[in-house]
Amino acid sequence: MNSIIAGAADVDFMIHGVFSYQLFGQTVWITTTHVCLLIVLLILIVFMICVRVKMSKADEIPGTFQNIAELAVEAVDNMVGTNMDKYAPKFRNYIGTIFMFILFSNISGLLGLRPPTADYGVTFPLGVMTFSLIQFNNFKYNKPIGVLKGLCDPWPIWAPINIIGEVAVPISLSLRLFANVLSGTVMMALVYGLLGVIATGWPAILHVYFDLFSGAIQTYVFCMLTMTYIRDKIGDN
Amino acid sequence: MNITGHDLILACSAIGAGLAVIAGIGPGIGQGIAAGYAANAVGRNPGAKGDITSTMLLGQAVAETTGLYGLLIAMLLLFVKPLVG
């Protein structure tokens, strides 16, 4: 079981195939990433259902669980509010969703899972989603003529460089998240794989840094950059 | 002991991986400068600590990207072995 989720024994931080099936003549693998992603999503869904049930009969004086839920929502609202000012209500759903998803994915290393975000196949779609949101808002608020003007910013001859700059956004966003989480995973795999018996107890300190601190910072940065890019495109309309 | 072409490529990949992570020097200096100025700013204006911290973290994360690209190249060379034919 352990080998399915975390990949035990030796230095091993690679993604493993669990089983494969044929689809239109292609071999498609179900990997450890899918398994871990499913676990993270189940945890999130159970948490959300609990919050929904609890908040439907919310008390005037909040209990512990209600406090935690309100704290999380207020933190996200506050973060989106300071960055997007009057556009905040439109974006807090998206930002809240990716915030919870990336945060839980990153800290799932604490549960012994291989973090799903340490797979480029997970972070790249996140980057593409942000990219499409950026470009959608670019077209919505600037109109096609404004987008064209933005591409030919100082002079039309700069257009290729501006296009490369636009396309680089999702790649750098997703690579940053991926490489950060991957470096933590590799480091922990090295500690557990090479030190063997010596690595008992004290690697908890490393987990606090690589999983909790680094994971939380990268989540924050991903959401902040998403908001910054979108706000930049909306401009002063 | 005969050194085959395959061995030579593996050895050179390992050296290349080591060279690639030298890229970590740049972000190290950059993040240090950012943190230094942030400490300076908090000293001048302790009231704006929250804003300064979030700006610093954002700037540091962006500066870190180049170092991570180096790390990624090292990882590719060591584990994916693209040069071994």
Side-chain angles (χ1 to χ4, degrees), chain A residues 13-14 171-172 175-176 178-180 182-183 186 217-218 220-221 224-225 228, chain B residues 50-51 53-55 57-58 61-65 68-69 71-72 75 78-80:
Chain A
F13 50 86
M14 289 299 190
I171 297 173
S172 75
L175 272 182
R176 180 178 303 124
F178 164 68
N180 261 296
L182 182 74
S183 68
V186 170
I217 293 273
Q218 287 313 312
Y220 177 73
V221 164
M224 282 294 275
L225 283 178
T228 313
Chain B
D51 283 347
T53 311
S54 64
T55 313
L57 285 177
L58 197 66
V62 174
E64 202 178 33
T65 313
L68 290 171
Y69 290 157
L71 175 79
L72 220 57
M75 290 275 182
L78 281 182
F79 297 107
V80 185

PDB file of all heavy atoms in Angstrom, chain A residues 13-14 171-172 175-176 178-180 182-183 186 217-218 220-221 224-225 228, chain B residues 50-51 53-55 57-58 61-65 68-69 71-72 75 78-80:
ATOM      1  N   PHE A  13      11.384   9.170  -5.559  1.00  0.00           N
ATOM      2  CA  PHE A  13      10.376  10.230  -5.506  1.00  0.00           C
ATOM      3  C   PHE A  13       9.653  10.321  -6.842  1.00  0.00           C
ATOM      4  O   PHE A  13       8.992  11.291  -7.133  1.00  0.00           O
ATOM      5  CB  PHE A  13      11.029  11.573  -5.193  1.00  0.00           C
ATOM      6  CG  PHE A  13      12.196  11.864  -6.069  1.00  0.00           C
ATOM      7  CD1 PHE A  13      12.017  12.463  -7.298  1.00  0.00           C
ATOM      8  CD2 PHE A  13      13.470  11.526  -5.658  1.00  0.00           C
ATOM      9  CE1 PHE A  13      13.086  12.699  -8.113  1.00  0.00           C
ATOM     10  CE2 PHE A  13      14.546  11.779  -6.474  1.00  0.00           C
ATOM     11  CZ  PHE A  13      14.356  12.360  -7.704  1.00  0.00           C
ATOM     12  N   MET A  14       9.828   9.267  -7.660  1.00  0.00           N
ATOM     13  CA  MET A  14       9.231   9.296  -8.991  1.00  0.00           C
ATOM     14  C   MET A  14       7.742   8.988  -8.921  1.00  0.00           C
ATOM     15  O   MET A  14       7.246   8.456  -7.949  1.00  0.00           O
ATOM     16  CB  MET A  14       9.923   8.272  -9.893  1.00  0.00           C
ATOM     17  CG  MET A  14      11.323   8.670 -10.280  1.00  0.00           C
ATOM     18  SD  MET A  14      11.332  10.206 -11.203  1.00  0.00           S
ATOM     19  CE  MET A  14      13.014  10.252 -11.750  1.00  0.00           C
ATOM     20  N   ILE A 171       3.504  29.262 -18.194  1.00  0.00           N
ATOM     21  CA  ILE A 171       4.633  28.342 -18.048  1.00  0.00           C
ATOM     22  C   ILE A 171       5.424  28.655 -16.790  1.00  0.00           C
ATOM     23  O   ILE A 171       5.733  27.769 -15.995  1.00  0.00           O
ATOM     24  CB  ILE A 171       5.521  28.404 -19.310  1.00  0.00           C
ATOM     25  CG1 ILE A 171       4.715  27.927 -20.521  1.00  0.00           C
ATOM     26  CG2 ILE A 171       6.753  27.553 -19.143  1.00  0.00           C
ATOM     27  CD1 ILE A 171       5.415  28.109 -21.829  1.00  0.00           C
ATOM     28  N   SER A 172       5.717  29.953 -16.569  1.00  0.00           N
ATOM     29  CA  SER A 172       6.506  30.290 -15.381  1.00  0.00           C
ATOM     30  C   SER A 172       5.694  30.063 -14.113  1.00  0.00           C
ATOM     31  O   SER A 172       6.234  29.582 -13.113  1.00  0.00           O
ATOM     32  CB  SER A 172       7.013  31.728 -15.460  1.00  0.00           C
ATOM     33  OG  SER A 172       5.989  32.638 -15.202  1.00  0.00           O
ATOM     34  N   LEU A 175       5.604  26.202 -13.612  1.00  0.00           N
ATOM     35  CA  LEU A 175       6.935  25.649 -13.310  1.00  0.00           C
ATOM     36  C   LEU A 175       7.388  26.046 -11.920  1.00  0.00           C
ATOM     37  O   LEU A 175       8.043  25.261 -11.233  1.00  0.00           O
ATOM     38  CB  LEU A 175       7.954  26.114 -14.346  1.00  0.00           C
ATOM     39  CG  LEU A 175       8.095  25.256 -15.593  1.00  0.00           C
ATOM     40  CD1 LEU A 175       9.165  25.825 -16.490  1.00  0.00           C
ATOM     41  CD2 LEU A 175       8.446  23.834 -15.227  1.00  0.00           C
ATOM     42  N   ARG A 176       7.042  27.264 -11.487  1.00  0.00           N
ATOM     43  CA  ARG A 176       7.462  27.728 -10.157  1.00  0.00           C
ATOM     44  C   ARG A 176       6.857  26.840  -9.077  1.00  0.00           C
ATOM     45  O   ARG A 176       7.559  26.347  -8.198  1.00  0.00           O
ATOM     46  CB  ARG A 176       7.020  29.176  -9.972  1.00  0.00           C
ATOM     47  CG  ARG A 176       7.405  29.756  -8.635  1.00  0.00           C
ATOM     48  CD  ARG A 176       6.984  31.202  -8.533  1.00  0.00           C
ATOM     49  NE  ARG A 176       7.555  31.981  -9.612  1.00  0.00           N
ATOM     50  CZ  ARG A 176       6.843  32.712 -10.453  1.00  0.00           C
ATOM     51  NH1 ARG A 176       5.537  32.767 -10.342  1.00  0.00           N
ATOM     52  NH2 ARG A 176       7.429  33.405 -11.410  1.00  0.00           N
ATOM     53  N   PHE A 178       5.511  23.816  -9.458  1.00  0.00           N
ATOM     54  CA  PHE A 178       5.984  22.435  -9.634  1.00  0.00           C
ATOM     55  C   PHE A 178       7.378  22.248  -9.051  1.00  0.00           C
ATOM     56  O   PHE A 178       7.604  21.345  -8.239  1.00  0.00           O
ATOM     57  CB  PHE A 178       5.961  22.104 -11.126  1.00  0.00           C
ATOM     58  CG  PHE A 178       6.754  20.899 -11.517  1.00  0.00           C
ATOM     59  CD1 PHE A 178       6.352  19.643 -11.109  1.00  0.00           C
ATOM     60  CD2 PHE A 178       7.886  21.016 -12.293  1.00  0.00           C
ATOM     61  CE1 PHE A 178       7.067  18.526 -11.469  1.00  0.00           C
ATOM     62  CE2 PHE A 178       8.605  19.906 -12.660  1.00  0.00           C
ATOM     63  CZ  PHE A 178       8.197  18.657 -12.237  1.00  0.00           C
ATOM     64  N   ALA A 179       8.317  23.128  -9.429  1.00  0.00           N
ATOM     65  CA  ALA A 179       9.710  22.928  -9.023  1.00  0.00           C
ATOM     66  C   ALA A 179       9.873  23.095  -7.525  1.00  0.00           C
ATOM     67  O   ALA A 179      10.658  22.392  -6.898  1.00  0.00           O
ATOM     68  CB  ALA A 179      10.623  23.897  -9.769  1.00  0.00           C
ATOM     69  N   ASN A 180       9.102  24.030  -6.925  1.00  0.00           N
ATOM     70  CA  ASN A 180       9.202  24.220  -5.482  1.00  0.00           C
ATOM     71  C   ASN A 180       8.758  22.980  -4.723  1.00  0.00           C
ATOM     72  O   ASN A 180       9.438  22.527  -3.802  1.00  0.00           O
ATOM     73  CB  ASN A 180       8.338  25.404  -5.056  1.00  0.00           C
ATOM     74  CG  ASN A 180       9.166  26.648  -4.872  1.00  0.00           C
ATOM     75  OD1 ASN A 180      10.013  26.684  -3.998  1.00  0.00           O
ATOM     76  ND2 ASN A 180       8.947  27.630  -5.695  1.00  0.00           N
ATOM     77  N   LEU A 182       8.421  19.955  -5.938  1.00  0.00           N
ATOM     78  CA  LEU A 182       9.278  18.822  -6.301  1.00  0.00           C
ATOM     79  C   LEU A 182      10.572  18.844  -5.502  1.00  0.00           C
ATOM     80  O   LEU A 182      11.030  17.803  -5.025  1.00  0.00           O
ATOM     81  CB  LEU A 182       9.581  18.839  -7.796  1.00  0.00           C
ATOM     82  CG  LEU A 182      10.434  17.668  -8.273  1.00  0.00           C
ATOM     83  CD1 LEU A 182       9.610  16.403  -8.318  1.00  0.00           C
ATOM     84  CD2 LEU A 182      11.037  17.937  -9.627  1.00  0.00           C
ATOM     85  N   SER A 183      11.159  20.061  -5.328  1.00  0.00           N
ATOM     86  CA  SER A 183      12.425  20.127  -4.588  1.00  0.00           C
ATOM     87  C   SER A 183      12.215  19.655  -3.154  1.00  0.00           C
ATOM     88  O   SER A 183      13.058  18.943  -2.609  1.00  0.00           O
ATOM     89  CB  SER A 183      13.001  21.540  -4.641  1.00  0.00           C
ATOM     90  OG  SER A 183      12.190  22.422  -3.922  1.00  0.00           O
ATOM     91  N   VAL A 186      11.910  15.813  -3.261  1.00  0.00           N
ATOM     92  CA  VAL A 186      13.215  15.178  -3.481  1.00  0.00           C
ATOM     93  C   VAL A 186      14.046  15.210  -2.211  1.00  0.00           C
ATOM     94  O   VAL A 186      14.662  14.209  -1.820  1.00  0.00           O
ATOM     95  CB  VAL A 186      13.957  15.890  -4.634  1.00  0.00           C
ATOM     96  CG1 VAL A 186      15.385  15.410  -4.722  1.00  0.00           C
ATOM     97  CG2 VAL A 186      13.252  15.655  -5.936  1.00  0.00           C
ATOM     98  N   ILE A 217       3.574  29.184   1.347  1.00  0.00           N
ATOM     99  CA  ILE A 217       4.113  30.337   0.622  1.00  0.00           C
ATOM    100  C   ILE A 217       3.814  30.222  -0.865  1.00  0.00           C
ATOM    101  O   ILE A 217       3.375  31.180  -1.504  1.00  0.00           O
ATOM    102  CB  ILE A 217       5.643  30.443   0.827  1.00  0.00           C
ATOM    103  CG1 ILE A 217       5.969  30.780   2.265  1.00  0.00           C
ATOM    104  CG2 ILE A 217       6.254  31.453  -0.119  1.00  0.00           C
ATOM    105  CD1 ILE A 217       5.979  32.217   2.603  1.00  0.00           C
ATOM    106  N   GLN A 218       4.028  29.021  -1.425  1.00  0.00           N
ATOM    107  CA  GLN A 218       3.808  28.861  -2.866  1.00  0.00           C
ATOM    108  C   GLN A 218       2.334  29.003  -3.230  1.00  0.00           C
ATOM    109  O   GLN A 218       1.993  29.546  -4.277  1.00  0.00           O
ATOM    110  CB  GLN A 218       4.344  27.511  -3.347  1.00  0.00           C
ATOM    111  CG  GLN A 218       5.856  27.451  -3.407  1.00  0.00           C
ATOM    112  CD  GLN A 218       6.460  28.651  -4.078  1.00  0.00           C
ATOM    113  OE1 GLN A 218       6.030  29.051  -5.146  1.00  0.00           O
ATOM    114  NE2 GLN A 218       7.439  29.269  -3.442  1.00  0.00           N
ATOM    115  N   TYR A 220       0.180  30.909  -1.625  1.00  0.00           N
ATOM    116  CA  TYR A 220      -0.052  32.344  -1.530  1.00  0.00           C
ATOM    117  C   TYR A 220       0.462  33.054  -2.779  1.00  0.00           C
ATOM    118  O   TYR A 220      -0.219  33.886  -3.370  1.00  0.00           O
ATOM    119  CB  TYR A 220       0.644  32.863  -0.268  1.00  0.00           C
ATOM    120  CG  TYR A 220       0.553  34.339  -0.060  1.00  0.00           C
ATOM    121  CD1 TYR A 220      -0.642  34.925   0.337  1.00  0.00           C
ATOM    122  CD2 TYR A 220       1.668  35.154  -0.233  1.00  0.00           C
ATOM    123  CE1 TYR A 220      -0.720  36.285   0.543  1.00  0.00           C
ATOM    124  CE2 TYR A 220       1.596  36.501  -0.029  1.00  0.00           C
ATOM    125  CZ  TYR A 220       0.402  37.062   0.355  1.00  0.00           C
ATOM    126  OH  TYR A 220       0.336  38.408   0.542  1.00  0.00           O
ATOM    127  N   VAL A 221       1.685  32.672  -3.196  1.00  0.00           N
ATOM    128  CA  VAL A 221       2.303  33.331  -4.348  1.00  0.00           C
ATOM    129  C   VAL A 221       1.513  33.053  -5.619  1.00  0.00           C
ATOM    130  O   VAL A 221       1.273  33.957  -6.428  1.00  0.00           O
ATOM    131  CB  VAL A 221       3.772  32.864  -4.485  1.00  0.00           C
ATOM    132  CG1 VAL A 221       4.318  33.197  -5.847  1.00  0.00           C
ATOM    133  CG2 VAL A 221       4.616  33.506  -3.418  1.00  0.00           C
ATOM    134  N   MET A 224      -1.611  35.165  -5.470  1.00  0.00           N
ATOM    135  CA  MET A 224      -1.273  36.588  -5.593  1.00  0.00           C
ATOM    136  C   MET A 224      -0.924  36.938  -7.033  1.00  0.00           C
ATOM    137  O   MET A 224      -1.378  37.951  -7.572  1.00  0.00           O
ATOM    138  CB  MET A 224      -0.069  36.933  -4.697  1.00  0.00           C
ATOM    139  CG  MET A 224      -0.398  37.090  -3.258  1.00  0.00           C
ATOM    140  SD  MET A 224      -1.448  38.501  -2.961  1.00  0.00           S
ATOM    141  CE  MET A 224      -0.245  39.775  -2.841  1.00  0.00           C
ATOM    142  N   LEU A 225      -0.096  36.082  -7.672  1.00  0.00           N
ATOM    143  CA  LEU A 225       0.314  36.374  -9.047  1.00  0.00           C
ATOM    144  C   LEU A 225      -0.883  36.310  -9.988  1.00  0.00           C
ATOM    145  O   LEU A 225      -1.007  37.144 -10.881  1.00  0.00           O
ATOM    146  CB  LEU A 225       1.400  35.395  -9.496  1.00  0.00           C
ATOM    147  CG  LEU A 225       2.779  35.697  -8.935  1.00  0.00           C
ATOM    148  CD1 LEU A 225       3.765  34.656  -9.379  1.00  0.00           C
ATOM    149  CD2 LEU A 225       3.251  37.066  -9.362  1.00  0.00           C
ATOM    150  N   THR A 228      -2.666  39.502  -9.481  1.00  0.00           N
ATOM    151  CA  THR A 228      -1.906  40.634 -10.004  1.00  0.00           C
ATOM    152  C   THR A 228      -2.005  40.717 -11.518  1.00  0.00           C
ATOM    153  O   THR A 228      -2.226  41.792 -12.074  1.00  0.00           O
ATOM    154  CB  THR A 228      -0.421  40.520  -9.596  1.00  0.00           C
ATOM    155  OG1 THR A 228      -0.355  40.202  -8.224  1.00  0.00           O
ATOM    156  CG2 THR A 228       0.310  41.805  -9.855  1.00  0.00           C
TER     157      THR A 228
ATOM    158  N   GLY B  50       2.636  44.244   7.478  1.00  0.00           N
ATOM    159  CA  GLY B  50       1.893  43.258   6.681  1.00  0.00           C
ATOM    160  C   GLY B  50       2.105  43.440   5.198  1.00  0.00           C
ATOM    161  O   GLY B  50       2.430  42.496   4.477  1.00  0.00           O
ATOM    162  N   ASP B  51       1.927  44.687   4.728  1.00  0.00           N
ATOM    163  CA  ASP B  51       2.104  44.979   3.305  1.00  0.00           C
ATOM    164  C   ASP B  51       3.525  44.675   2.854  1.00  0.00           C
ATOM    165  O   ASP B  51       3.744  44.082   1.798  1.00  0.00           O
ATOM    166  CB  ASP B  51       1.798  46.460   3.022  1.00  0.00           C
ATOM    167  CG  ASP B  51       0.302  46.709   2.999  1.00  0.00           C
ATOM    168  OD1 ASP B  51      -0.436  45.713   2.954  1.00  0.00           O
ATOM    169  OD2 ASP B  51      -0.108  47.869   3.044  1.00  0.00           O
ATOM    170  N   THR B  53       5.705  42.622   4.169  1.00  0.00           N
ATOM    171  CA  THR B  53       5.983  41.187   4.158  1.00  0.00           C
ATOM    172  C   THR B  53       5.394  40.526   2.910  1.00  0.00           C
ATOM    173  O   THR B  53       6.068  39.731   2.252  1.00  0.00           O
ATOM    174  CB  THR B  53       5.406  40.511   5.410  1.00  0.00           C
ATOM    175  OG1 THR B  53       5.815  41.257   6.537  1.00  0.00           O
ATOM    176  CG2 THR B  53       5.886  39.095   5.529  1.00  0.00           C
ATOM    177  N   SER B  54       4.139  40.885   2.564  1.00  0.00           N
ATOM    178  CA  SER B  54       3.535  40.218   1.409  1.00  0.00           C
ATOM    179  C   SER B  54       4.240  40.629   0.122  1.00  0.00           C
ATOM    180  O   SER B  54       4.458  39.794  -0.761  1.00  0.00           O
ATOM    181  CB  SER B  54       2.040  40.503   1.344  1.00  0.00           C
ATOM    182  OG  SER B  54       1.812  41.861   1.133  1.00  0.00           O
ATOM    183  N   THR B  55       4.623  41.915   0.009  1.00  0.00           N
ATOM    184  CA  THR B  55       5.356  42.350  -1.180  1.00  0.00           C
ATOM    185  C   THR B  55       6.699  41.646  -1.283  1.00  0.00           C
ATOM    186  O   THR B  55       7.098  41.194  -2.360  1.00  0.00           O
ATOM    187  CB  THR B  55       5.588  43.873  -1.141  1.00  0.00           C
ATOM    188  OG1 THR B  55       4.374  44.508  -0.811  1.00  0.00           O
ATOM    189  CG2 THR B  55       6.099  44.384  -2.465  1.00  0.00           C
ATOM    190  N   LEU B  57       7.543  38.704  -0.012  1.00  0.00           N
ATOM    191  CA  LEU B  57       7.380  37.285  -0.363  1.00  0.00           C
ATOM    192  C   LEU B  57       7.098  37.126  -1.851  1.00  0.00           C
ATOM    193  O   LEU B  57       7.641  36.241  -2.505  1.00  0.00           O
ATOM    194  CB  LEU B  57       6.238  36.676   0.454  1.00  0.00           C
ATOM    195  CG  LEU B  57       6.577  36.396   1.906  1.00  0.00           C
ATOM    196  CD1 LEU B  57       5.362  35.860   2.629  1.00  0.00           C
ATOM    197  CD2 LEU B  57       7.714  35.406   1.997  1.00  0.00           C
ATOM    198  N   LEU B  58       6.258  38.014  -2.394  1.00  0.00           N
ATOM    199  CA  LEU B  58       5.924  37.940  -3.818  1.00  0.00           C
ATOM    200  C   LEU B  58       7.176  38.164  -4.667  1.00  0.00           C
ATOM    201  O   LEU B  58       7.467  37.394  -5.588  1.00  0.00           O
ATOM    202  CB  LEU B  58       4.866  38.989  -4.130  1.00  0.00           C
ATOM    203  CG  LEU B  58       4.104  38.801  -5.434  1.00  0.00           C
ATOM    204  CD1 LEU B  58       3.274  37.547  -5.335  1.00  0.00           C
ATOM    205  CD2 LEU B  58       3.210  39.987  -5.685  1.00  0.00           C
ATOM    206  N   ALA B  61       9.528  35.225  -4.437  1.00  0.00           N
ATOM    207  CA  ALA B  61       9.067  34.040  -5.177  1.00  0.00           C
ATOM    208  C   ALA B  61       9.328  34.205  -6.665  1.00  0.00           C
ATOM    209  O   ALA B  61       9.678  33.244  -7.349  1.00  0.00           O
ATOM    210  CB  ALA B  61       7.584  33.815  -4.919  1.00  0.00           C
ATOM    211  N   VAL B  62       9.164  35.437  -7.171  1.00  0.00           N
ATOM    212  CA  VAL B  62       9.430  35.653  -8.591  1.00  0.00           C
ATOM    213  C   VAL B  62      10.932  35.545  -8.868  1.00  0.00           C
ATOM    214  O   VAL B  62      11.344  34.973  -9.874  1.00  0.00           O
ATOM    215  CB  VAL B  62       8.863  37.019  -9.032  1.00  0.00           C
ATOM    216  CG1 VAL B  62       9.249  37.307 -10.452  1.00  0.00           C
ATOM    217  CG2 VAL B  62       7.357  37.021  -8.897  1.00  0.00           C
ATOM    218  N   ALA B  63      11.745  36.083  -7.952  1.00  0.00           N
ATOM    219  CA  ALA B  63      13.196  36.027  -8.146  1.00  0.00           C
ATOM    220  C   ALA B  63      13.701  34.589  -8.098  1.00  0.00           C
ATOM    221  O   ALA B  63      14.701  34.244  -8.737  1.00  0.00           O
ATOM    222  CB  ALA B  63      13.888  36.861  -7.073  1.00  0.00           C
ATOM    223  N   GLU B  64      12.980  33.755  -7.338  1.00  0.00           N
ATOM    224  CA  GLU B  64      13.403  32.371  -7.141  1.00  0.00           C
ATOM    225  C   GLU B  64      13.290  31.544  -8.416  1.00  0.00           C
ATOM    226  O   GLU B  64      13.950  30.519  -8.561  1.00  0.00           O
ATOM    227  CB  GLU B  64      12.497  31.770  -6.066  1.00  0.00           C
ATOM    228  CG  GLU B  64      13.023  30.580  -5.348  1.00  0.00           C
ATOM    229  CD  GLU B  64      12.027  30.139  -4.294  1.00  0.00           C
ATOM    230  OE1 GLU B  64      10.815  30.298  -4.522  1.00  0.00           O
ATOM    231  OE2 GLU B  64      12.447  29.648  -3.266  1.00  0.00           O
ATOM    232  N   THR B  65      12.441  32.005  -9.343  1.00  0.00           N
ATOM    233  CA  THR B  65      12.106  31.187 -10.511  1.00  0.00           C
ATOM    234  C   THR B  65      13.339  30.760 -11.301  1.00  0.00           C
ATOM    235  O   THR B  65      13.446  29.599 -11.701  1.00  0.00           O
ATOM    236  CB  THR B  65      11.156  31.964 -11.429  1.00  0.00           C
ATOM    237  OG1 THR B  65      10.137  32.531 -10.634  1.00  0.00           O
ATOM    238  CG2 THR B  65      10.531  31.045 -12.439  1.00  0.00           C
ATOM    239  N   LEU B  68      15.035  27.927  -9.787  1.00  0.00           N
ATOM    240  CA  LEU B  68      14.270  26.688  -9.939  1.00  0.00           C
ATOM    241  C   LEU B  68      14.421  26.110 -11.340  1.00  0.00           C
ATOM    242  O   LEU B  68      14.406  24.891 -11.511  1.00  0.00           O
ATOM    243  CB  LEU B  68      12.803  26.943  -9.627  1.00  0.00           C
ATOM    244  CG  LEU B  68      12.520  27.213  -8.157  1.00  0.00           C
ATOM    245  CD1 LEU B  68      11.098  27.661  -7.959  1.00  0.00           C
ATOM    246  CD2 LEU B  68      12.786  25.976  -7.335  1.00  0.00           C
ATOM    247  N   TYR B  69      14.581  26.983 -12.336  1.00  0.00           N
ATOM    248  CA  TYR B  69      14.826  26.470 -13.686  1.00  0.00           C
ATOM    249  C   TYR B  69      16.128  25.691 -13.709  1.00  0.00           C
ATOM    250  O   TYR B  69      16.212  24.612 -14.319  1.00  0.00           O
ATOM    251  CB  TYR B  69      14.883  27.611 -14.715  1.00  0.00           C
ATOM    252  CG  TYR B  69      13.551  28.274 -14.976  1.00  0.00           C
ATOM    253  CD1 TYR B  69      13.483  29.569 -15.473  1.00  0.00           C
ATOM    254  CD2 TYR B  69      12.364  27.609 -14.729  1.00  0.00           C
ATOM    255  CE1 TYR B  69      12.264  30.183 -15.701  1.00  0.00           C
ATOM    256  CE2 TYR B  69      11.156  28.211 -14.951  1.00  0.00           C
ATOM    257  CZ  TYR B  69      11.104  29.495 -15.442  1.00  0.00           C
ATOM    258  OH  TYR B  69       9.906  30.100 -15.670  1.00  0.00           O
ATOM    259  N   LEU B  71      17.489  24.126 -11.179  1.00  0.00           N
ATOM    260  CA  LEU B  71      17.215  22.878 -10.466  1.00  0.00           C
ATOM    261  C   LEU B  71      16.518  21.877 -11.376  1.00  0.00           C
ATOM    262  O   LEU B  71      16.836  20.688 -11.393  1.00  0.00           O
ATOM    263  CB  LEU B  71      16.339  23.165  -9.250  1.00  0.00           C
ATOM    264  CG  LEU B  71      15.863  21.945  -8.469  1.00  0.00           C
ATOM    265  CD1 LEU B  71      16.955  21.437  -7.572  1.00  0.00           C
ATOM    266  CD2 LEU B  71      14.627  22.243  -7.674  1.00  0.00           C
ATOM    267  N   LEU B  72      15.574  22.402 -12.166  1.00  0.00           N
ATOM    268  CA  LEU B  72      14.792  21.549 -13.064  1.00  0.00           C
ATOM    269  C   LEU B  72      15.689  20.900 -14.113  1.00  0.00           C
ATOM    270  O   LEU B  72      15.567  19.709 -14.412  1.00  0.00           O
ATOM    271  CB  LEU B  72      13.730  22.410 -13.742  1.00  0.00           C
ATOM    272  CG  LEU B  72      12.362  21.799 -13.926  1.00  0.00           C
ATOM    273  CD1 LEU B  72      11.806  21.368 -12.585  1.00  0.00           C
ATOM    274  CD2 LEU B  72      11.441  22.810 -14.555  1.00  0.00           C
ATOM    275  N   MET B  75      17.617  18.167 -12.500  1.00  0.00           N
ATOM    276  CA  MET B  75      16.750  16.994 -12.309  1.00  0.00           C
ATOM    277  C   MET B  75      16.591  16.215 -13.613  1.00  0.00           C
ATOM    278  O   MET B  75      16.671  14.990 -13.635  1.00  0.00           O
ATOM    279  CB  MET B  75      15.355  17.450 -11.866  1.00  0.00           C
ATOM    280  CG  MET B  75      15.338  17.995 -10.493  1.00  0.00           C
ATOM    281  SD  MET B  75      15.164  16.661  -9.361  1.00  0.00           S
ATOM    282  CE  MET B  75      15.124  17.565  -7.855  1.00  0.00           C
ATOM    283  N   LEU B  78      19.724  14.323 -14.455  1.00  0.00           N
ATOM    284  CA  LEU B  78      20.034  13.197 -13.590  1.00  0.00           C
ATOM    285  C   LEU B  78      19.047  12.051 -13.732  1.00  0.00           C
ATOM    286  O   LEU B  78      19.424  10.888 -13.696  1.00  0.00           O
ATOM    287  CB  LEU B  78      20.072  13.658 -12.130  1.00  0.00           C
ATOM    288  CG  LEU B  78      21.332  14.374 -11.681  1.00  0.00           C
ATOM    289  CD1 LEU B  78      21.228  14.724 -10.221  1.00  0.00           C
ATOM    290  CD2 LEU B  78      22.555  13.515 -11.923  1.00  0.00           C
ATOM    291  N   PHE B  79      17.754  12.376 -13.857  1.00  0.00           N
ATOM    292  CA  PHE B  79      16.754  11.322 -13.731  1.00  0.00           C
ATOM    293  C   PHE B  79      16.052  10.978 -15.035  1.00  0.00           C
ATOM    294  O   PHE B  79      15.655   9.855 -15.247  1.00  0.00           O
ATOM    295  CB  PHE B  79      15.727  11.707 -12.669  1.00  0.00           C
ATOM    296  CG  PHE B  79      16.342  11.850 -11.317  1.00  0.00           C
ATOM    297  CD1 PHE B  79      16.526  13.096 -10.755  1.00  0.00           C
ATOM    298  CD2 PHE B  79      16.779  10.731 -10.634  1.00  0.00           C
ATOM    299  CE1 PHE B  79      17.122  13.226  -9.523  1.00  0.00           C
ATOM    300  CE2 PHE B  79      17.367  10.859  -9.403  1.00  0.00           C
ATOM    301  CZ  PHE B  79      17.549  12.105  -8.836  1.00  0.00           C
ATOM    302  N   VAL B  80      15.869  11.949 -15.913  1.00  0.00           N
ATOM    303  CA  VAL B  80      15.201  11.638 -17.183  1.00  0.00           C
ATOM    304  C   VAL B  80      16.229  11.219 -18.230  1.00  0.00           C
ATOM    305  O   VAL B  80      15.932  10.466 -19.141  1.00  0.00           O
ATOM    306  CB  VAL B  80      14.371  12.855 -17.659  1.00  0.00           C
ATOM    307  CG1 VAL B  80      13.581  12.512 -18.900  1.00  0.00           C
ATOM    308  CG2 VAL B  80      13.416  13.301 -16.559  1.00  0.00           C
TER     309      VAL B  80
END
